[in-house]
Amino acid sequence: MRVAWRFSGTLAGTERRVEFHGDDRVELGEDGLIHACRCLYDYKSVLTRIEAASVAA
């Protein structure tokens, strides 16, 4: 199962918004329970956006 998500927030101490997105990949077992979960997102992009927001502040 794939679950897409978006995150947005305000950089602490500023009014600068930071937004990014990712996917969670969930594997369900025959028992209906989660057997594995992976969170996929572009870590470098997240850091770049946070850095850009903090420099602009």
Side-chain angles (χ1 to χ4, degrees):
M1 171 176 24
R2 175 180 171 241
V3 180
W5 51 266
R6 290 193 169 277
F7 176 86
S8 64
T10 305
L11 190 63
T14 74
E15 293 184 17
R16 302 285 180 181
R17 303 269 313 156
V18 178
E19 297 183 11
F20 56 95
H21 68 277
D23 292 327
D24 286 352
R25 305 289 168 94
V26 180
E27 293 178 27
L28 300 176
E30 290 184 25
D31 56 6
L33 299 176
I34 296 173
H35 285 223
C37 181
R38 292 184 182 166
C39 182
L40 306 173
Y41 61 95
D42 184 347
Y43 184 72
K44 185 175 179 181
S45 174
V46 172
L47 291 180
T48 300
R49 291 170 191 229
I50 290 173
E51 183 179 78
S54 64
V55 170

